[in-house]
Amino acid sequence: MACRRLYAAISDLDRRIARTAGISVSDLQCLNLLEAGPVTPRDIAGALELTSGAVTGLIDRLEAKGLVERRPNPKDRRSVVVAGTPHLFASIGPQYRRVATALRAFEDGLGDQAPLAATHLEAAAAAYALAASAIENDGASD
């Protein structure tokens, strides 16, 4: 049950951040992919399981809001990468900094139990990933 409550809280957070930014949760998922730097539309399609046409529409929407920009791909002149803009980080960044501050306070409150809690969260994440992989491989829901 704790994992379900955590997932529900994270989903609620995503919905609220998306709503304040005037975008959909799918759009926010795309923006989260840009945290580590620019990505290709193909990377977005793969991560979000979208068609190339859907990704084009998603990028167009985010570009119109000034949240992303298309840039030439430095590794392949025939393609582009999608990068976050300063407006993206100025508008959504503070929301995530607030979350990071709350999580640091939570972790600090755990004291010497923090590594054990992290181990349990990693194990839960691995269990979810294993179940997802099994579903993907055989379509079973057991």
Side-chain angles (χ1 to χ4, degrees):
M1 287 302 276
C3 286
R4 287 189 181 137
R5 285 193 303 275
L6 177 60
Y7 177 77
I10 292 169
S11 294
D12 184 51
L13 174 71
D14 285 346
R15 281 190 301 276
R16 289 171 190 252
I17 290 174
R19 187 176 29 231
T20 62
I23 60 175
S24 72
V25 173
S26 295
D27 293 350
L28 181 65
Q29 290 172 332
C30 174
L31 295 175
N32 286 335
L33 295 174
L34 305 178
E35 181 181 5
V39 297
T40 66
R42 182 181 297 239
D43 293 335
I44 295 169
L48 301 182
E49 297 184 354
L50 297 173
T51 65
S52 61
V55 170
T56 298
L58 184 149
I59 295 168
D60 288 346
R61 283 192 309 276
L62 295 174
E63 198 170 38
K65 290 190 171 288
L67 299 172
V68 302
E69 61 187 11
R70 290 174 171 97
R71 297 179 184 162
N73 186 340
K75 296 178 183 174
D76 181 355
R77 293 185 316 164
R78 298 167 296 160
S79 68
V80 298
V81 294
V82 179
T85 64
H87 177 64
L88 164 64
F89 299 109
S91 62
I92 295 179
Q95 312 270 357
Y96 283 108
R97 280 192 291 281
R98 183 178 301 145
V99 173
T101 298
L103 288 173
R104 272 193 298 282
F106 168 74
E107 186 176 352
D108 290 347
L110 291 173
D112 61 354
Q113 295 296 310
L116 180 61
T119 299
H120 285 289
L121 286 171
E122 291 293 339
Y128 273 88
L130 184 63
S133 178
I135 291 168
E136 183 75 21
N137 290 334
D138 64 16
S141 60
D142 55 323

